[in-house]
Amino acid sequence: MIDNSSDIKSQLLRLYRIALVDDEFSQLEWELLSSFANSRGVSDTELNDFLVNPVGKITYPQSESDKLEYLCELVNMIWIDGKVTDEERELFEKFYDNFGLPYDQKSLIIEEILHKKNKDLSYEELIDILLF
């Protein structure tokens, strides 16, 4: 794995956890997780090995841009199977709250993000929604 492997492992564990929150792990979720790993220098073999033995601390983003990037990853993982379950929505709301995002329009913002029905929500689109 590449230099910042603990950060990458943590990201992979978070995404894997998101994929499992609805008690299903589809081929599309695997492909998205694999694509994410591959784009960060982690092979499918390394990813498989890591998921078989997911030892390590799960850390969460600290900077605003990392938090927003994480929310994009979360939305994309939620939508990869074409539906938003109650568990996925609750998980998204938890991160939204923990990341200190705007509370006064929280319900409207979350509705816009989670009901966009877009498997490829970009960082820029998320910013536009948050700043509406």
Side-chain angles (χ1 to χ4, degrees):
M1 284 194 188
I2 58 179
D3 294 337
N4 56 352
S5 65
S6 64
D7 290 341
I8 293 170
K9 284 181 181 180
S10 186
Q11 288 175 315
L12 292 171
L13 280 174
R14 288 191 316 257
L15 288 174
Y16 185 60
R17 189 171 101 187
I18 292 162
L20 294 177
V21 77
D22 63 358
D23 295 326
E24 293 180 31
F25 191 61
S26 71
Q27 181 65 33
L28 291 173
E29 288 168 324
W30 167 254
E31 289 170 8
L32 184 60
L33 186 62
S34 175
S35 173
F36 176 84
N38 294 163
S39 72
R40 284 153 179 82
V42 178
S43 71
D44 284 347
T45 301
E46 290 172 311
L47 177 60
N48 278 326
D49 292 345
F50 176 64
L51 293 179
V52 167
N53 186 25
V55 176
K57 182 178 181 182
I58 297 177
T59 60
Y60 294 92
Q62 298 301 310
S63 74
E64 293 303 314
S65 63
D66 287 346
K67 289 176 183 179
L68 295 176
E69 183 179 327
Y70 178 71
L71 287 178
C72 284
E73 294 166 359
L74 175 59
V75 169
N76 293 335
M77 186 61 80
I78 287 171
W79 268 114
I80 196 72
D81 62 1
K83 62 184 180 207
V84 178
T85 66
D86 290 340
E87 295 84 5
E88 290 168 332
R89 181 184 176 85
E90 288 171 16
L91 183 65
F92 184 87
E93 287 184 19
K94 174 185 168 188
F95 285 111
Y96 186 94
D97 290 340
N98 288 340
F99 289 170
L101 294 169
Y103 191 78
D104 57 335
Q105 300 292 323
K106 175 183 162 183
S107 295
L108 291 174
I109 291 169
I110 290 175
E111 287 302 316
E112 177 67 19
I113 292 169
L114 291 183
H115 294 287
K116 195 167 182 60
K117 295 190 180 183
N118 182 348
K119 293 181 189 173
D120 297 312
L121 180 70
S122 72
Y123 183 87
E124 291 77 20
E125 289 172 313
L126 180 60
I127 296 292
D128 287 345
I129 292 169
L130 290 171
L131 297 178
F132 79 93

